[in-house]
């Protein structure tokens, strides 16, 4: 029973947040599993142009996060979050209306722009709902739930792929939109959080002048690129550089998903404040460098040895991934002023999107161009990022200063 406490969210606010996240990530799983085939087979957009459109749309969309976080801070995060999540559901349904390349760019920019805005607003809401000592554990439950949601969504999307009809694809797109709406409406069940007191003096967007926090966010952008090691690079690596069967990639994904569901909360223990989060990032860099070495060892080996190295690398990789996530939650909240959580979460979200957008192309080019030595380059990058976390976070801590706040907030 004690083990279940690390898997099932406790009743109350944390469980409501996890349910909301389950609906949201289930919608993501549906869209991730069907989007490329829908746009290539039904809308008849060439595959390479689909990838370009999704990248361009993502690059445009992330610009909304900081302004939306500011809006959540000054107007109150719950109504802003609910409104944006409902808008996200409506916008996602717009994918069914796309009829060409430019329409896909526009739809993706709108959807991801609203999603980035909603994530920043939700960050402000979580800061108001959860005491600082409880945030890391609550967010660990949310990440574990997210893996369940993505898996369920992918299964539903897979059923749609079996049907392979326009009506089936559109039905799944509309279902994903409805799940986003459900995710947003779930926040109506949590207590309202008042608007944050505004600073009596200083810029309205202090996060844009906070170079130390920007440096922390840059470290985050590098460490979050580790996701692409498994999802993007591994299918190419297995098929072109190892004797392992291509289907072994599915085993690796299942191991990754199961590990996050079962162990994320446990791994996050001790990372519930800034020192703990910093240590988690430092360890993450070392562990991710280790997984790169194990993946490199799989090249040119017998089938059983290649599979063993890949499986070991997967286990080490998911540990590094979980350590990064635990540290990210603690640092993004712990280094943000209490009156500006929304905009700080917005900038941190931008760094995450930057890393996930750049990673597929960067890591693929390194591995294709350098082969096994590409893993050495990746290991060095992750190791350097983890080591950089220590001085960068110390810099950020030295530059934290509590502003003078107004006694009343007319903007609320």
């Amino acid at each position: 029973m004690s083990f279940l406490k690390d898997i099932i969210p406790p009743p109350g606010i944390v469980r409501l947040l996890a349910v909301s996240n389950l609906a949201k990530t289930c919608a993501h799983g549906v869209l991730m599993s069907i989007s490329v085939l829908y746009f290539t087979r039904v809308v008849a957009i060439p595959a390479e142009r689909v990838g370009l459109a999704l990248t361009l749309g993502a690059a445009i969309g992330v610009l909304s996060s900081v302004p939306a976080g500011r809006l959540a801070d000054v107007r109150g995060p719950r109504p802003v979050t609910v409104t944006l999540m409902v808008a996200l559901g409506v916008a996602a349904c717009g994918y069914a209306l796309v009829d060409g390349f430019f329409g896909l760019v526009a739809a993706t920019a709108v959807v991801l722009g609203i999603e980035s805005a909603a994530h920043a607003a939700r960050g402000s809401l979580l800061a108001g709902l959860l005491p600082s000592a409880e945030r890391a554990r609550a967010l660990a439950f949310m990440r574990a739930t997210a893996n369940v949601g993505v898996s369920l969504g992918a299964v539903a999307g897979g059923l749609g792929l079996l049907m392979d009809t326009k009506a089936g694809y559109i039905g799944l797109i509309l279902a994903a939109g409805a799940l986003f709406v459900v995710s947003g409406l779930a926040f109506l069940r949590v207590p309202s959080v008042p608007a944050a007191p505004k600073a009596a003096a200083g810029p309205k967007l202090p996060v844009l002048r906070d170079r130390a926090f920007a440096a922390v966010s840059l470290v985050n952008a590098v460490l979050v690129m580790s996701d692409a090691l498994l999802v993007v690079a591994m299918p190419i690596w297995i098929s072109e550089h190892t004797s392992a069967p291509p289907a072994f990639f599915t085993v690796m994904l299942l191991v990754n998903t199961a590990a996050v569901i079962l162990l994320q909360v446990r791994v996050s223990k001790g990372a519930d404040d800034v020192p703990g989060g910093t240590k988690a990032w430092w360890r993450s860099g070392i562990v991710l460098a280790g997984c790169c070495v194990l993946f490199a060892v799989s090249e040119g080996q017998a089938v059983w040895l290649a599979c063993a190295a890949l499986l070991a690398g997967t286990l080490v990789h998911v540990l590094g991934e979980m350590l990064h996530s635990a540290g990210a939650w603690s640092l993004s909240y712990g280094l943000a002023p209490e009156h500006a959580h929304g905009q700080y979460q917005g900038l941190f979200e931008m760094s995450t999107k930057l890393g996930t957008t750049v990673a597929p192309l960067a890591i693929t080019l390194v591995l294709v161009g350098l082969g096994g030595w590409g893993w050495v380059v990746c290991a060095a990058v992750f190791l350097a990022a983890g080591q950089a976390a220590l001085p960068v976070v110390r810099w950020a801590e030295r530059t934290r200063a509590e502003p003078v706040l107004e006694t009343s907030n007319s903007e609320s």
Side-chain angles (χ1 to χ4, degrees):
M1 293 297 292
S2 60
F3 185 70
L4 291 178
K5 292 181 180 179
D6 290 335
I7 302 175
I8 302 174
I13 289 177
V14 175
R15 185 168 295 178
L16 279 171
L17 295 175
V19 169
S20 172
N21 210 40
L22 178 67
K24 178 178 180 288
T25 53
C26 189
H28 275 300
V30 170
L31 294 178
M32 285 167 46
S33 62
I34 69 169
S35 57
V36 173
L37 284 180
Y38 171 70
F39 293 125
T40 55
R41 294 171 66 86
V42 177
V43 186
I45 304 174
E48 64 275 10
R49 289 176 69 82
V50 169
L52 177 60
L54 295 176
T55 301
L56 289 174
I60 297 169
V62 298
L63 300 177
S64 65
S65 56
V66 173
R70 161 71 178 170
L71 180 64
D73 287 334
V74 301
R75 295 297 182 188
R78 192 180 73 166
V80 175
T81 302
V82 172
T83 300
L84 288 171
M85 287 301 300
V86 172
L88 175 60
V90 174
C93 293
Y95 278 134
L97 304 177
V98 170
D99 61 358
F101 172 77
F102 292 105
L104 180 55
V105 173
T108 303
V110 170
V111 170
L112 296 185
I114 296 174
E115 184 179 14
S116 294
H119 192 282
R122 187 183 72 166
S124 180
L125 178 61
L126 296 183
L129 289 173
L130 302 168
S132 58
E134 298 178 14
R135 289 170 190 161
R137 181 171 172 82
L139 290 166
F141 278 116
M142 291 175 67
R143 184 163 190 264
T145 305
N147 276 261
V148 176
V150 169
S151 300
L152 293 175
V155 170
L159 296 177
L161 296 178
L162 289 176
M163 292 188 292
D164 197 24
T165 64
K166 181 178 181 179
Y169 285 122
I170 291 178
L172 286 168
I173 289 173
L174 297 179
L179 285 168
F180 283 130
V181 173
V182 169
S183 175
L185 295 179
F187 289 113
L188 294 175
R189 300 288 304 276
V190 303
S192 180
V193 174
K198 64 179 181 180
K204 290 185 177 181
L205 291 172
V207 69
L208 298 182
R209 301 188 181 188
D210 194 335
R211 291 179 296 173
F213 190 81
V216 173
S217 299
L218 183 59
V219 173
N220 174 64
V222 175
L223 290 176
V224 82
M225 292 174 72
S226 64
D227 291 352
L229 292 181
L230 192 66
V231 178
V232 178
M234 199 48 57
I236 299 172
W237 177 256
I238 290 175
S239 62
E240 297 185 3
H241 294 273
T242 79
S243 58
F248 193 72
F249 174 61
T250 303
V251 176
M252 297 169 69
L253 286 180
L254 290 174
V255 168
N256 176 277
T257 301
V260 173
I261 293 171
L262 297 174
L263 299 174
Q264 180 67 73
V265 175
R266 184 163 296 188
V267 170
S268 298
K269 291 178 180 177
D272 50 1
D273 54 16
V274 170
T278 308
K279 187 178 294 184
W281 270 14
W282 179 77
R283 291 172 176 169
S284 176
I286 296 173
V287 172
L288 290 172
C291 86
C292 291
V293 173
L294 288 168
F295 288 146
V297 168
S298 66
E299 184 176 24
Q301 304 293 343
V303 174
W304 72 270
L305 189 55
C307 290
L310 291 171
L311 184 58
T314 301
L315 292 169
V316 175
H317 171 271
V318 73
L319 175 60
E321 187 181 41
M322 290 187 289
L323 286 169
H324 164 253
S325 295
W329 300 327
S330 301
L331 295 175
S332 63
Y333 283 101
L335 297 175
E338 287 300 321
H339 75 291
H341 271 294
Q343 57 184 278
Y344 272 73
Q345 290 302 310
L347 182 63
F348 204 79
E349 168 70 1
M350 285 182 66
S351 74
T352 299
K353 294 295 186 186
L354 173 64
T356 54
T357 300
V358 171
L361 177 61
I363 291 177
T364 300
L365 288 177
V366 168
L367 290 178
V368 169
L370 299 177
W373 285 103
W375 288 113
V376 177
V377 173
C378 291
V381 169
F382 291 126
L383 184 61
Q387 297 302 305
L390 297 174
V392 166
V393 172
R394 289 195 192 105
W395 176 27
E397 288 185 295
R398 288 196 305 270
T399 56
R400 299 305 89 183
E402 287 298 322
V404 177
L405 302 179
E406 293 185 354
T407 56
S408 63
N409 188 351
S410 60
E411 292 184 83
S412 61

